Every structure is written in structure tokens, then in C-alpha cells.
Amino acid sequence: MIYLALARHQWIRFGRSLEGKRLWLIGLGLVPVLIYGTFVLVGLGLFFDQLLAPLVAEAPPVHVLDAHLLSAWAGMLGLRFFFQRPPRLEIRSYLHLPVERRHLLRYFQGASLLSLHNLYPLLFFVPFWLKHVLPEAPLHGAFAWAAGIGLCLVASSYLTTWLRRMVDRHGRLVLLTAVAFVLFNILDQSVGPGLVTAASSRLFDALAAGNLAVLAMLALGAAGTVWAAGRALRQSLREDPDARAAGARLRLLPGTLRFGNAPMANLIVLEVLLMWRNRRTRQYVLISVGVSTLYTALLLSDFNALAGGLMAAVIGLFASGVFALNYGQLMFAWESRYFDGLLARDIPPHHLVLAKFMVLQGSCLLLFLLSLPLFVWLAPELLMLHVAFLFYNAGVTSLLMLTLAVFNRRRVNAAEGSFFNYQGFSIMHWLWILPTIIPPALLLWALEGRPETALSLIATVGLVSMLMAWPSSSVLSFVLARRKHQMAAGFRSHDR
């Protein structure tokens, strides 16, 4: 059967991709994180009533959770949009084979449901259902509630694919819709009647009571997202991304800036101009602004329900460091098409590295200022957190991402602008978020009773790293000088 053959080939391909990798290093950093995350989610599901005793004292645990499920679903959808790998990347590798496209679409759409974005939430929902839903609700209601949670996960997974297509074709409309949704959610949570919370309670409480009509409505909605995602994938596969890249228009910033013989200033200006001229890098700028404002506002508006060291660290990291976190790892890969030309010029490696370092640090400051009014309005108690993570992101996050960029040899075509295009990315691109966010999260958790001390330590580490920018960039420039020919050889490769 064709689907079994595809699954077997995928497994073999996955095994080959691990050959030559330092698996022990990946396991050393990843396994403890997965174990810790599993422990936290399972423990939260089992002891939900004890961990949230003040809320559960007023209502049953199921009702308390139901009131926040829609907000959690919207937050999960945002994370999926930016971090979930689209199935189109796998399908393109099989288009030359004598396999019908409809089989490829069905298989890879189904296989995408096995991502961590779907499996990890079950670590919370399964123990919660066993302890708090199954004993309390009617038997058919308990199973209807579980089925509703599963349908929401399925809908979220497929809706991500459809949204990527909509952003490619109607980016401004999607942006305006997202802004309207976030503003409505903020006003609803802060000064409004709580319509989202009320709708969430009515929907999932009805499922727990055994209302099969509501379950059928969710099933129809999930089926609609499956159809829409399949249609979006078929349309995207008909398009030639190289043709789109060739026809992409260059957008110039007003004026042409040049600072005489000041090499550092000119390199910074060149970096900014090229960032805005290319479609894909421009998307990164706009996405970073959206995450720093819209997504941060969404998290801040419901922070009491999501309180904790990890969530506080996520907010601090995304609010001012999301651009450095995503863009920084590909800092040299963006120049892969003309990297040989840069090597041929009389540009000291130290100037190249330091200019990119300053661009990343400047992005942290700009995003900090953009999201500052949101903290003042929605969560003034987190202002110190915002300031502390400004120093941390400018010093530690920027330096770590630039270090990864020096070791990156994956070719990237910056003119290919598509939210289905993850060229240059690998699983390690996402895993490096963990060592960036875990140290401050652990510090906030360990010093929960003394948050001022934790934030002071986070800010101090970031400030020291910022003061060490010159010697740090000198070390990275030495590494760049040693690796530049390996990087250039990798950038010349057209393998994806």
C-alpha cells in the first residue's frame, strides 16, 4: 500500500538524517527538557485542583478549565503558525515520483497530526480527563468532552496551513483581522463582559454535559479546516517559488545613506537595506513586530491564568528578543547568494560580525519600545521583567544566535517569500530556543518568592554580556575567518 511505503521511507529518511550528528549532545540538551516538560504537564493535569485551589474552591476543576480553553486554543494557534513545520516541505520532495498527488496530500496531512504540537498537550489533557472529567461527568459527556479537545487540536493543526496560504495571498487582510481579534480579546478581558470566557465555558461545559449537537458542530468545523488546508496545499504546490522569487519587487528604504569611510555604519545600513529589500527577510521583520505586539498582548491580557516562571520567561523573550531569536541564526545565510563577493572585498571579519551584533541588539531595543505601552496598559507589574529581558536579549540571546550563525552552512534564498518556505531551517533551529529560555525560567521559578533578585540577576548577566560585545565579536570573527570557506561551499549548494 502506498501509505505504508511512504511511512517506511520517511522512517528511513529520518534515520539517515541523524547520521553524522552529535546525538549525545542533542540528547543531553533535549532529553532533560522533554522529561521536565512531561513531568510539569502530567502533574498539572493530575493535581489541577490543588495547584489552583483558590479558583477551584469557587467552581469545579472542569468548569475552571473550560473557561480558558478558547484562549489557550488561540494562543496555541499562534505558536503553530510560527513554529509548526508545514507538510508542503515534505510533499515537494516526492513530486517527481510516480505517486498521485492526492495520495501525497492525504498522507503528509495525516502525518502532520503526529507533531509535538498535538502530542504534547495530551500529556495534560489525558490525566486531567482521567481524574477530573471521567469521574464527574456522565459517561457519554466525558467522551464527548475528550472528542471535542481532539477535534480542536486537529482544527488548529490544519487551520495553520490554511492561514499560511492566506497570509501569502491576503497578508494585509489577515493582519487587520489579527489586530482586531487581539484588541477585542484585550478589551473583553480587561473592561468587557468576558464574552470569550463565557463562550468557552458554554461550549465545553455543554460537551461535558453530553450535548452531541455541539460535538457535531465541532466535527463539521474540523472537517472544514481539513478541506481548506488541502485546497491551500494544492494551490501552493502549483506555484513555482523560484518564479515568484524572480518576479519579486525590490522595496527600497527612502534615500540612500552612506557615512563616508565609516565601515561599521555602512555595514549596518547595508544590513538594514537588504533586510527590507528581500521579501522573506521583510516578512521576518513584520512577523517579529506582530509577535512582539499582538502575541505579547494576547499573553498579557490573560496572564493570571498562565502565571509561572516559564510563561513569564516566554513573554520577556518574545517581547524584545523574537527578531534576534529567529533572524539571527541565519544572519550569514541570508547573504548566501553573494557571500563569495563579501569574501572578495577588503572587509575585516571583525567588522562583519560586530555590525550584525549591533543590528540584533538594536532590534531588541526597538521591539522593547514597541511593546512597552502594552506592559504599561495590561501588566504594569511585569515592567521590571520587560526591562530585565531587554538586557538579557540584547546581551545573551543576540550573542548566542550570532554564534549559531557563524556555524550555519545552509543556503537560503532571501527573495523567496512564502510562509510555506522553511528553507535554511532544521530542527536545531527551534531546539536552540530551549537553552535560551530555560536558564531565566529556572531562575524565576527558583526565586519565586524574591522576583526582584531573579530579575536583577537576569539583567546583570545580560548587561555583562553587552559590555563584552567587543571581545565576544573578536572571538566570533576568528571563528568566521577559519570557517568562511566551509560556509561559502555550503552556500553554493542548491540542495534544500
Side-chain angles (χ1 to χ4, degrees):
M1 191 176 180
I2 187 62
Y3 300 118
L4 290 177
L6 287 171
R8 191 181 303 113
H9 185 267
Q10 282 290 104
W11 180 254
I12 295 173
R13 187 178 179 183
F14 173 73
R16 288 176 178 173
S17 68
L18 297 178
E19 295 178 359
K21 301 283 183 69
R22 297 180 180 179
L23 298 182
W24 65 269
L25 184 60
I26 297 175
L28 189 64
L30 183 59
V31 171
V33 174
L34 293 178
I35 294 176
Y36 172 76
T38 301
F39 174 79
V40 169
L41 290 174
V42 173
L44 182 59
L46 289 175
F47 306 106
F48 185 85
D49 52 342
Q50 300 176 29
L51 294 174
L52 297 177
L55 295 175
V56 175
E58 302 175 0
V62 178
H63 183 74
V64 172
L65 179 65
D66 287 349
H68 297 283
L69 283 178
L70 278 184
S71 297
W73 182 83
M76 183 185 299
L77 183 63
L79 286 177
R80 284 178 181 275
F81 182 83
F82 297 110
F83 298 114
Q84 180 172 293
R85 184 181 177 87
R88 178 180 183 271
L89 298 179
E90 303 293 344
I91 296 175
R92 288 188 63 194
S93 303
Y94 291 85
L95 290 179
H96 66 286
L97 297 176
V99 180
E100 292 186 38
R101 187 167 294 190
R102 60 188 178 91
H103 292 312
L104 294 175
L105 287 170
R106 290 173 184 172
Y107 172 77
F108 284 105
Q109 274 195 285
S112 66
L113 294 177
L114 298 178
S115 70
L116 287 179
H117 294 278
N118 290 326
L119 299 179
Y120 227 56
L122 296 179
L123 295 175
F124 166 78
F125 284 114
V126 171
F128 181 88
W129 181 80
L130 290 173
K131 183 174 181 181
H132 301 291
V133 182
L134 187 59
E136 303 294 335
L139 184 61
H140 68 289
F143 282 98
W145 190 90
I149 295 296
L151 289 171
C152 287
L153 291 175
V154 170
S156 177
S157 181
Y158 287 115
L159 192 59
T160 302
T161 302
W162 179 78
L163 280 175
R164 284 198 174 102
R165 176 66 179 176
M166 290 300 102
V167 170
D168 279 338
R169 295 178 63 86
H170 311 288
R172 294 179 181 177
L173 178 61
V174 174
L175 177 61
L176 290 176
T177 304
V179 171
F181 170 77
V182 171
L183 289 177
F184 169 77
N185 191 75
I186 293 173
L187 294 174
D188 184 57
Q189 293 286 344
S190 56
V191 298
L195 294 177
V196 175
T197 302
S200 182
S201 295
R202 293 192 64 178
L203 175 64
F204 290 97
D205 284 350
L207 288 175
N211 191 327
L212 298 183
V214 175
L215 182 62
M217 180 185 67
L218 286 179
L220 286 175
T225 61
V226 174
W227 175 83
R231 187 169 181 268
L233 278 176
R234 284 192 296 272
Q235 291 175 344
S236 66
L237 289 172
R238 295 192 191 106
E239 296 178 354
D240 183 2
D242 296 323
R244 289 185 64 182
R249 293 181 300 171
L250 297 182
R251 298 190 180 184
L252 306 180
L253 290 177
T256 301
L257 301 177
R258 184 170 179 83
F259 294 90
N261 294 321
M264 284 296 303
N266 289 321
L267 284 173
I268 293 173
V269 172
L270 176 65
E271 191 78 37
V272 174
L273 288 173
L274 292 175
M275 186 189 304
W276 192 252
R277 287 173 179 174
N278 291 289
R279 179 169 180 172
R280 192 173 174 198
T281 50
R282 188 167 64 249
Q283 284 179 348
Y284 268 76
V285 175
L286 299 177
I287 287 174
S288 300
V289 172
V291 173
S292 179
T293 54
L294 298 179
Y295 194 69
T296 300
L298 198 61
L299 295 178
L300 291 175
S301 65
D302 200 25
F303 181 72
N304 289 333
L306 303 170
L310 179 59
M311 185 53 61
V314 168
I315 292 175
L317 190 69
F318 281 9
S320 57
V322 64
F323 179 81
L325 196 65
N326 278 327
Y327 187 92
Q329 295 189 45
L330 303 176
M331 208 71 176
F332 290 98
W334 297 124
E335 302 166 343
S336 54
R337 290 192 298 171
Y338 52 87
F339 189 73
D340 289 326
L342 285 178
L343 296 183
R345 295 180 179 272
D346 187 20
I347 303 176
H350 189 210
H351 288 172
L352 279 175
V353 173
L354 194 58
K356 295 180 185 299
F357 199 4
M358 294 178 68
V359 168
L360 293 181
Q361 290 181 326
S363 73
C364 295
L365 178 60
L366 289 176
L367 293 181
F368 169 84
L369 295 175
L370 280 176
S371 54
L372 181 60
L374 297 174
F375 281 83
V376 174
W377 176 29
L378 298 173
E381 69 277 9
L382 297 181
L383 276 174
M384 291 300 298
L385 174 84
H386 194 33
V387 174
F389 270 89
L390 168 64
F391 291 106
Y392 181 82
N393 289 324
V396 178
T397 304
S398 298
L399 178 61
L400 177 57
M401 295 304 113
L402 193 56
T403 303
L404 296 176
V406 173
F407 288 90
N408 188 7
R409 295 187 299 168
R410 288 177 174 266
R411 177 184 175 87
V412 174
N413 186 352
E416 285 189 14
S418 170
F419 283 94
F420 286 99
N421 178 18
Y422 272 47
Q423 187 186 62
F425 285 80
S426 67
I427 186 63
M428 294 304 299
H429 182 96
W430 308 120
L431 292 182
W432 275 109
I433 296 176
L434 299 177
T436 308
I437 197 172
I438 286 176
L442 289 178
L443 196 59
L444 289 169
W445 172 76
L447 299 175
E448 186 177 2
R450 293 179 293 169
E452 296 83 2
T453 304
L455 295 177
S456 299
L457 290 174
I458 292 172
T460 301
V461 171
L463 182 59
V464 170
S465 182
M466 289 175 62
L467 295 176
M468 297 290 290
W470 187 270
S472 299
S473 60
S474 299
V475 174
L476 289 180
S477 64
F478 174 77
V479 177
L480 176 63
R482 295 288 299 271
R483 290 182 48 83
K484 61 184 180 182
H485 297 297
Q486 299 178 39
M487 294 170 66
F491 293 156
R492 293 189 203 105
S493 173
H494 287 269
D495 297 334
R496 299 186 179 189

